[in-house]
Every structure is written in structure tokens, then in C-alpha cells.
Amino acid sequence: MIRILATDGMEASAVDKLKSLGYEVIEKFYEPEELKTAVKDVDVMVVRSATKVKKDIIDAAAETGRLKLVIRGGVGIDNIDKPYAEEKGIKVTNTPAASSASVAELTIGHMFSMARFIGIANATMRNGEWNKKKYEGIELAGKTLGLIGFGRIAKEVAKRAEVLGMNVVYNKRSGAEAEEETARFVDLETLIKNSDFISLHIPKQKDKDYLIGKDEIEMMKDGVFLINTARGGLIDEDALVEALDSGKVSAAALDVFKEEPTKNEKITKHAKISMTPHIGAATKEAQTRIGGEIVQIIEDFFSKE
């Protein structure tokens, strides 16, 4: 029987479907040392962001050669050493389309939260404060939204922002221009200098520590708003706090952090940061779609065996 290990959980209907098809599904999180043993006796491993599938785990799996497929339930595969895994004969794939709408909606939600002080007003009212005059916000309509990266999620953000009356520009890291109904291509420097809101939608950087650091922030408009629902570590958190304190950045929204769970109190206690605990894909609809994609990937893979 084909054994599937879901280390970070899996949507219930997907588990039920796989079992009905005759697969054995094990839902259990393992610490790294324990995982080295567990991977030797499974054919498929399904992970989210918590489990790291790096060289040591892959080497352990390769000892028996049973593991043939690793699926990341989500968009990125930064937590998996894909080249090394495939070198060892282990296919690595993900579910890139399933959570695009959910992450896009969270991005827009954070933009509203920053623009209208929704998060901090909620918190201060619970402390008995009535800061009606303090929380004068801005409207999103007429503002320029710069999207760094223009993949599936960014395109969903662009659609929603255009309906809100925003002017949307985007940058592709490849530099290739394309005609889009809801957005206009600009180079990265132009985007950074001219956007009122900047939202990141790219993978983790391999060639530099941060995409947005002190130098990039200095290029931005005074009072800019920054959003990161993509990957932790794309923004220099120390530089961000400094810019928030000085007023250079009006507010920031973070769903992802350099360290998760984040222990950076300069971030977690900052009144100008709208925060969520990496929940971009955490909607019922996205989880159902992710589960469905995982089932289809597994069916397709073993039908060709």
C-alpha cells in the first residue's frame, strides 16, 4: 500500500478521498531527527511551511529509496531543497493556484487596516480609549499600488485594487514587459519611488539578504505603506522599524516574518504594524482547493508508475 505522510496536516476531505482510493495517510508532525526515520518508510510526503525538507532529510529518505514525491501544500517551495531532492530521484511539486485568491484578499484587508487604523483602533478601544480625532485615515481610491512580482497572487491583488479605484503598477523580476488590463509595467526603481502602497509577491531572495532594506526605503515616498504576505525576510525588519519610528513609512502589514513564530518584540509591539500569523492561505475555500490539488497530483503521479 502506498503510504502518504502529511506532516503539517491536510484538509479532511482530501484525507478521506485518498483513503477511499486505497492510500494510507499518516497525519503527524515530526521534529527533524524523528522525521529522518519516518521518511524512510513512506512513498509521499505532504508538507506546508512548518516542515523543512533539506539535505539531511532527503539523504535519510534516499537510504531506502522509497520516498518518490514531496508536495508542498501552498505556493512556494522555499522550505524544500528541490534541486537536491530531484537529484536523488524525488519529485517536488506544489499547489500554486489554490490559495491565490485567499492571499490576495488578505493583502487587500491589510491595506484597509492600515489606511483606516482598523487594527490599532480595535486594540485601543478595548483599553477604554476613544481616539476618534487621532485616527484620520486615507482612501485607497486614487492611490498607486506597486506590486513587486506579478505572479498569480499579485494578479489577483491587481484585479481587486483596480475595482477599488487604485492605479496599479507592477515589476517582474525578469524585466519582461507585458500588457495587462489591470496594471502597468514599470522598472523596480520607478515602482519604489512612486508607489503609495508597495506589496511584495516574490519568492525568497537567494542573491541578497533583503529585497527591501534601508536604501530602498529611503527611495520611497514619504508616508508609504508596505505590505508583505509573500515570504519572511524580504524586508529588513530593523530598517522597517526605524522607518516607522521616523514616519518615513506610515504603516506596514506583515503576514510573514524572518523568524516564525516571530519573537521580535520591536515588530509585535509596534502600533504601526498590522500583523497576522502567516494565514494568507488559511481560508476554508483555499484549503479545500489545496486538498483537491494534492489528491490530483498523487493520483496522476502513481497512475504513471
Side-chain angles (χ1 to χ4, degrees):
M1 179 181 288
I2 293 171
R3 304 184 80 216
I4 301 165
L5 173 61
T7 60
D8 302 328
M10 193 190 304
E11 204 271 332
S13 65
V15 174
D16 291 343
K17 179 65 175 178
L18 288 166
K19 288 181 178 179
S20 74
L21 292 169
Y23 299 101
E24 180 183 354
V25 181
I26 305 153
E27 294 182 88
K28 185 176 180 180
F29 177 79
Y30 290 93
E31 295 296 340
E33 287 303 313
E34 296 175 314
L35 185 58
K36 290 178 185 177
T37 300
V39 295
K40 296 178 182 180
D41 196 31
V42 296
D43 304 278
V44 181
M45 182 159 56
V46 180
V47 305
R48 298 299 300 272
S49 58
T51 299
K52 314 302 179 187
V53 188
K54 300 300 183 180
K55 187 176 183 294
D56 57 339
I57 302 298
I58 296 165
D59 283 340
E63 289 179 16
T64 60
R66 182 168 179 176
L67 183 66
K68 296 298 182 184
L69 176 64
V70 176
I71 305 171
R72 163 70 161 92
V75 179
I77 53 172
D78 299 336
N79 56 321
I80 304 170
D81 191 335
K82 180 178 179 179
Y84 190 73
E86 295 191 339
E87 182 182 313
K88 296 290 185 178
I90 301 169
K91 180 178 174 61
V92 176
T93 188
N94 60 354
T95 61
S99 58
S100 298
S102 295
V103 180
E105 289 187 4
L106 182 67
T107 300
I108 296 293
H110 271 302
M111 289 168 61
F112 276 118
S113 182
M114 291 188 295
R116 298 305 304 272
F117 299 96
I118 295 171
I120 188 62
N122 182 290
T124 55
M125 285 189 71
R126 293 176 189 273
N127 291 330
E129 300 177 37
W130 185 264
N131 298 322
K132 181 179 175 67
K133 293 183 179 179
K134 183 177 180 180
Y135 299 140
E136 181 182 38
I138 63 168
E139 296 177 358
L140 298 186
K143 304 302 187 296
T144 296
L145 169 63
L147 300 172
I148 298 180
F150 205 61
R152 292 179 179 88
I153 294 171
K155 288 178 181 178
E156 292 296 324
V157 174
K159 291 176 186 176
R160 290 156 176 76
E162 191 267 341
V163 171
L164 293 170
M166 301 188 79
N167 304 309
V168 184
V169 297
Y170 71 94
N171 165 264
K172 284 188 177 180
R173 294 179 66 222
S174 65
E177 296 190 30
E179 291 297 324
E180 295 289 341
E181 293 181 6
T182 57
R184 177 172 57 88
F185 175 88
V186 295
D187 61 71
L188 182 60
E189 184 173 335
T190 299
L191 185 151
I192 288 174
K193 287 182 175 179
N194 294 286
S195 297
D196 301 296
F197 289 78
I198 297 176
S199 186
L200 279 61
H201 299 281
I202 57 173
K204 188 174 181 180
Q205 301 294 280
K206 295 181 180 180
D207 54 346
K208 59 188 297 187
D209 291 336
Y210 310 104
L211 179 73
I212 302 295
K214 188 172 183 179
D215 292 342
E216 288 76 20
I217 290 172
E218 287 179 355
M219 292 168 56
M220 295 175 185
K221 279 185 173 183
D222 291 342
V224 68
F225 295 82
L226 294 181
I227 308 105
N228 186 12
T229 56
R231 291 289 177 270
L234 291 176
I235 299 176
D236 181 339
E237 292 180 354
D238 291 334
L240 174 61
V241 169
E242 183 180 330
L244 289 165
D245 290 342
S246 72
K248 175 68 177 181
V249 175
S250 286
L254 304 174
D255 184 51
V256 290
F257 305 85
K258 185 176 181 180
E259 179 186 14
E260 295 186 0
T262 182
K263 299 174 184 175
N264 187 347
E265 291 190 351
K266 291 181 180 179
I267 294 291
T268 59
K269 294 187 177 181
H270 206 292
K272 293 183 178 180
I273 300 179
S274 176
M275 290 171 289
T276 44
H278 203 152
I279 59 170
T283 64
K284 292 179 180 178
E285 295 86 351
Q287 292 309 304
T288 298
R289 289 192 295 267
I290 288 171
E293 282 198 44
I294 289 170
V295 171
Q296 191 63 55
I297 290 167
I298 292 171
E299 282 193 278
D300 290 346
F301 182 83
F302 289 103
S303 69
K304 298 173 183 176
E305 286 286 289

